[in-house]
Amino acid sequence: MLIDKVLHRENMIEAHRRVLRNKGAPGIDGMNVDDLIANCQEHWPRIREEILSGRYVPQSVRKVSIPKPGGGTRMLGIPSVMDRLIQQALSQVLTPIYDPTCSDESFGFRPGRSTHDAVRRAREHIAAGYRWVVDLDLEKFFDQVNHDILMARVARRVSDKRVLLLIRRFLQAGIMEGGVVSARVEGVPQGGPLSPLLSNILLDELDKELERRGHRFVRYADDTNVYIKSQKAGERVMGSLERFLSKRLRLKINRTKSAVARPWKRQFLGYSVTSNREPRLKVSPKAVKRLKKKLRPIFRRARGNNLQTTVKALNPKLQGWIVYYRLATVTGIFEQLDSWIRRKFRVVIWRHWKKPRTRFEELMKRGVNRSKAARAAWGKDGPWQSAAGSAINYAVPNKDLRTLGLLSFADKHRLLASL
């Protein structure tokens, strides 16, 4: 039986390893991943027996709201560590059943596939002449999945009723917020190891429909782009997909966020493209805006920190961003970001110097001539304007900032592009 594979010792050991590696916040019981082994040693025989007999009831998930990149908030449901262990064990057994028959155009939460693969495939479709995109945004997808429809799709390949019961109970686990538990009658709460697989099982039906119609498309989780050759065809596709999703999967398209447009006027997974016949990948303007928003609090805190502390706080974020956007071949934005960050550092230095007399003396000490130092120190410009002035740029050259260990977007991108 499939439940025996889920609970097999080797599968559970691997599930524990992955839960431990992924870390994550505690659920409603407050237990951390480091406490999982001791908890299993005490309670696992009972829990295993409850699962086998169909009596196991997952704990409610802890509701956490996080800001979405495009504005608003996203609700996460954080399961207890024990429930994460069981979900991970389920996912490891179910993935080999479902993944091999998933569409080649589906990239999200699948073994051996990544966002970069999805972005490359999207560029290929545009380069092949499909220069209009139907950009589908599903309205509150993870909150509105119909449990009966999802379970019917799962049951097409899983006949073990104990596995089906366990999955449904995870779907129906209550949500705790402020000490109050609310029942859940629809949706797949993000935050558990099983949710990505379940979302792919449901949306595989959309993939199969797009394949049946002969469309070129790319899907990553609930982000779907369909590439066509004209705006008129795109409008027809948008309307027919809206009807299909509503009737077959009871899902809604968010019309305010969805569009039929040129690909270079939209973004996909943080990337956009140029309008060239051979489109080039570039960082989307929204991604740049999000990065600056994320970095500004670090620079605000820098007023009370030394520069090395600020560099240490910045570099991990810069490193991750550069690695993610290494596919971009339009590179001007990396130089612009370097310039913006260097200017932010000069703002910090200018604020550290505080008084006009200190600024004057520091500029003079660094070789700025007396009259220019005086104009800068006692001028009426604010820190941001002063940081662009020739005085502080001479006093604090780029090489001094590199000496602090500050990463350069442009240099790092060139290095990654050459590998």
Side-chain angles (χ1 to χ4, degrees):
M1 297 295 285
L2 197 61
I3 194 66
D4 297 318
K5 292 183 179 180
V6 172
L7 300 176
H8 191 274
R9 176 180 171 79
E10 295 303 318
N11 189 54
M12 296 305 302
I13 289 173
E14 175 61 15
H16 175 263
R17 188 185 67 80
R18 294 193 186 186
V19 169
L20 201 62
R21 183 187 64 194
N22 294 336
K23 298 181 180 178
I28 63 170
D29 59 1
M31 186 171 76
N32 294 302
V33 292
D34 295 333
D35 303 322
L36 185 54
I37 286 183
N39 189 274
C40 284
Q41 288 173 343
E42 183 177 356
H43 299 291
W44 181 247
R46 172 184 57 80
I47 292 171
R48 187 178 189 279
E49 179 55 36
E50 288 180 355
I51 293 172
L52 288 170
S53 63
R55 293 182 290 111
Y56 183 76
V57 178
Q59 296 186 62
S60 299
V61 299
R62 182 168 63 87
K63 183 177 180 180
V64 176
S65 296
I66 61 172
K68 294 173 68 174
T73 59
R74 173 180 285 116
M75 192 278 286
L76 298 183
I78 309 299
S80 70
V81 176
M82 180 60 73
D83 285 336
R84 292 213 292 274
L85 175 70
I86 299 168
Q87 285 194 34
Q88 180 62 45
L90 277 167
S91 179
Q92 289 168 189
V93 170
L94 294 176
T95 295
I97 295 174
Y98 291 97
D99 190 75
T101 59
C102 284
S103 169
D104 192 47
E105 305 300 317
S106 167
F107 294 88
F109 311 121
R110 295 184 60 195
R113 289 172 168 249
S114 68
T115 52
H116 284 173
D117 295 327
V119 169
R120 290 189 187 98
R121 184 64 57 83
R123 196 202 71 81
E124 290 172 7
H125 292 326
I126 300 165
Y130 295 80
R131 295 169 68 83
W132 287 86
V133 61
V134 180
D135 187 351
L136 293 178
D137 183 279
L138 297 178
E139 189 173 284
K140 297 181 179 179
F141 168 72
F142 286 95
D143 296 333
Q144 295 188 355
V145 169
N146 182 283
H147 290 174
D148 291 337
I149 290 177
L150 172 57
M151 290 306 303
R153 271 67 184 169
V154 175
R156 288 174 181 174
R157 298 192 193 177
V158 172
S159 58
D160 191 325
K161 293 183 179 179
R162 289 172 294 183
V163 171
L164 295 173
L165 176 62
L166 191 56
I167 294 172
R168 184 176 280 276
R169 284 186 176 165
F170 276 121
L171 288 173
Q172 294 176 336
I175 303 174
M176 177 176 283
E177 182 180 22
V180 178
V181 176
S182 303
R184 172 174 281 274
V185 295
E186 63 180 3
V188 179
Q190 297 180 76
L194 193 56
S195 299
L197 175 62
L198 294 178
S199 67
N200 272 340
I201 290 172
L202 183 66
L203 290 177
D204 186 61
E205 189 148 344
L206 170 62
D207 298 342
K208 293 299 190 289
E209 178 65 15
L210 290 169
E211 288 177 342
R212 188 186 67 79
R213 298 182 185 187
H215 288 309
R216 296 201 177 206
F217 70 98
V218 180
R219 182 174 68 79
Y220 191 95
D222 59 330
D223 291 334
T224 305
N225 278 4
V226 185
Y227 296 92
I228 63 302
K229 290 192 173 182
S230 72
Q231 183 177 13
K232 190 173 182 180
E235 297 293 351
R236 286 198 303 270
V237 170
M238 176 73 82
S240 64
L241 289 180
E242 187 170 29
R243 291 188 294 273
F244 171 82
L245 287 165
S246 175
K247 183 177 180 180
R248 293 282 291 274
L249 302 180
R250 296 189 194 174
L251 296 172
K252 295 180 181 178
I253 290 177
N254 185 333
R255 276 288 190 166
T256 61
K257 294 183 178 180
S258 301
V260 177
R262 293 292 196 180
W264 45 90
K265 293 185 177 180
R266 305 294 289 181
Q267 67 161 355
F268 181 56
L269 301 176
Y271 280 86
S272 188
V273 294
T274 64
S275 58
N276 304 62
R277 183 174 296 277
E278 282 293 328
R280 300 169 62 199
L281 291 172
K282 62 180 184 178
V283 182
S284 76
K286 287 184 178 180
V288 175
K289 188 180 296 185
R290 287 196 299 268
L291 175 67
K292 289 182 176 181
K293 184 178 180 180
K294 188 183 296 185
L295 298 184
R296 283 191 177 99
I298 296 176
F299 284 114
R300 282 196 291 271
R301 292 193 296 272
R303 300 174 190 178
N305 295 328
N306 61 46
L307 298 180
Q308 287 81 4
T309 300
T310 302
V311 168
K312 287 180 181 178
L314 275 174
N315 276 352
K317 296 184 182 297
L318 303 186
Q319 172 80 12
W321 200 87
I322 296 168
V323 169
Y324 183 77
Y325 288 104
R326 67 182 183 271
L327 298 185
T329 55
V330 178
T331 58
I333 190 60
F334 298 109
E335 297 281 0
Q336 294 172 30
L337 283 169
D338 278 341
S339 177
W340 181 82
I341 288 173
R342 290 193 294 262
R343 187 170 174 181
K344 280 287 190 180
F345 261 96
R346 293 185 178 108
V347 167
V348 171
I349 293 168
W350 196 249
R351 289 184 184 279
H352 280 181
W353 291 344
K354 293 183 180 178
K355 296 181 180 180
R357 169 56 63 180
T358 305
R359 290 169 178 170
F360 173 73
E361 292 173 353
E362 292 290 346
L363 291 172
M364 288 280 289
K365 189 190 302 181
R366 288 164 170 77
V368 179
N369 71 59
R370 188 177 188 87
S371 61
K372 184 178 284 189
R375 285 196 302 272
W378 279 282
K380 294 182 179 179
D381 287 341
W384 181 247
Q385 289 75 25
S386 297
S390 59
I392 193 170
N393 275 265
Y394 183 87
V396 187
N398 294 346
K399 65 180 180 62
D400 286 4
L401 296 177
R402 284 197 293 270
T403 301
L404 289 170
L406 180 66
L407 280 177
S408 163
F409 280 102
D411 291 348
K412 186 72 173 179
H413 182 267
R414 279 193 289 269
L415 176 62
L416 289 172
S418 68
L419 296 177

